[in-house]
Amino acid sequence: MQPVHSRRPRVTLDMVMWVFTRVSGAAIVVIALIGFFGAMLMGARTQMDLPTLMRWTFFPNPNHVVNSNIPDVAIGWSGPFWQTLQILIVLFGATHGLNGLRAVLEDHFRGPRILPAIRAVLFVVWLLVMAIAVAVVLAD
Amino acid sequence: MQNLKVIAQGARYRGGNPMWSWLLHRVTGVGMVLFVVAHITASFLTQRFGSGAGMAINAVYESPAFQLVMYFCVIYHALNGLRVIILDIRPSLMRFQRETLWLQWLTFVPIYALAVLLILLRAASGE
């Protein structure tokens, strides 16, 4: 008989995504707070309205703030720091959101044929979102 | 018919406040996914093809009513998610689950009230 501690449970997709959901959820909150307070430090209070500030908070891309009173978005509102945050929030956000959608759908649809179909569709959507996001972020 | 039976069973299940917070977490999460998909699609259509379809989708989520719903989704989902993370890290706090829910709503109300005020002021000024 094997001792209890050597019986290793098989790692499943759901176990990995359970941990990922918590880590990415906390990371999204932190990235959004960096975007929000970063914008405030750069003068957002007098330079933009609330919708513009929120667009920047959740995706710090210069195109999101170009229609504001910022004199030049090339100064401070672009560059590798904000590009890194954009990539990170899309990676965490798209994976967290589409995996959440997978969890909800798999609770409501059961069956040997529909489950792989759901996963295939969500995987293609995930790849598309990531590809579009990288193209948008690197375009600046 | 099958769905109605499931809904009837769900309504009889007395999970109380934790059950409703779980359900609201799902609804607000799916709401945000649908919004982000619509937003990416609209931007893509407008930028690549200059199409009216993109602008039509834009008009929907720029309306004050949609913003009130979306701010609710974001603030609720973030606060409830943080509460779940804290309870997962410290399972002994599960004894105080009721209190954590109260604390969550106490945090939610001022943040959401500020958002509602700003959205309504903006809508009233006709910008």
Side-chain angles (χ1 to χ4, degrees):
Chain A
M1 183 159 171
Q2 279 188 319
V4 173
H5 62 264
S6 74
R7 247 186 270 142
R8 205 175 278 205
R10 219 162 57 86
V11 175
T12 64
L13 175 71
D14 282 315
M15 285 161 67
V16 175
M17 293 318 288
W18 186 91
V19 175
F20 177 84
T21 296
R22 277 136 187 88
V23 173
S24 59
I28 290 165
V29 172
V30 171
I31 295 170
L33 288 176
I34 294 173
F36 179 82
F37 286 108
M40 290 308 245
L41 285 174
M42 292 191 290
R45 195 176 67 82
T46 55
Q47 287 173 330
M48 60 184 68
D49 52 25
L50 182 66
T52 311
L53 177 59
M54 284 303 122
R55 282 200 288 276
W56 173 268
T57 296
F58 291 103
F59 195 61
N61 184 289
N63 284 328
H64 267 170
V65 289
V66 79
N67 293 322
S68 68
N69 295 327
I70 297 168
D72 185 1
V73 291
I75 302 166
W77 300 83
S78 53
F81 176 74
W82 295 119
Q83 280 177 317
T84 310
L85 284 194
Q86 288 169 63
I87 295 278
L88 283 177
I89 201 160
V90 173
L91 177 69
F92 285 137
T95 315
H96 183 111
L98 290 171
N99 178 66
L101 200 56
R102 180 184 69 85
V104 172
L105 290 175
E106 288 185 1
D107 274 354
H108 293 273
F109 298 99
R110 291 168 188 283
R113 267 176 304 167
I114 196 140
L115 276 182
I118 288 172
R119 290 188 180 188
V121 170
L122 289 179
F123 184 68
V124 170
V125 172
W126 180 74
L127 281 182
L128 262 177
V129 169
M130 294 309 299
I132 292 174
V134 170
V136 166
V137 172
L138 295 183
D140 298 314
Chain B
M1 213 44 223
Q2 185 68 29
N3 282 339
L4 282 178
K5 241 168 95 179
V6 172
I7 292 170
Q9 279 172 354
R12 268 201 310 271
Y13 175 69
R14 294 174 190 278
N17 288 344
M19 177 187 79
W20 294 115
S21 73
W22 170 84
L23 188 61
L24 205 48
H25 198 76
R26 296 207 137 187
V27 172
T28 53
V30 173
M32 282 189 288
V33 169
L34 293 180
F35 164 65
V36 172
V37 168
H39 179 59
I40 293 173
T41 309
S43 310
F44 183 74
L45 288 175
T46 312
Q47 275 185 1
R48 286 294 143 108
F49 309 111
S51 83
M55 302 306 282
I57 302 175
N58 267 336
V60 173
Y61 55 68
E62 278 172 5
S63 72
F66 190 92
Q67 286 182 31
L68 288 174
V69 174
M70 201 39 63
Y71 275 75
F72 182 94
C73 288
V74 171
I75 299 168
Y76 176 84
H77 199 90
L79 290 177
N80 194 56
L82 289 175
R83 185 182 68 85
V84 169
I85 292 174
I86 292 169
L87 287 177
D88 282 339
I89 293 174
R90 287 260 173 277
S92 58
L93 289 175
M94 277 301 279
R95 282 193 300 140
F96 304 107
Q97 174 152 238
R98 260 161 63 99
E99 285 78 1
T100 63
L101 280 166
W102 281 111
L103 201 60
Q104 186 194 325
W105 284 111
L106 275 177
T107 319
F108 174 88
V109 167
I111 300 175
Y112 187 59
L114 182 65
V116 169
L117 180 73
L118 291 172
I119 292 167
L120 293 182
L121 280 177
R122 205 179 133 76
S125 74
E127 273 182 74

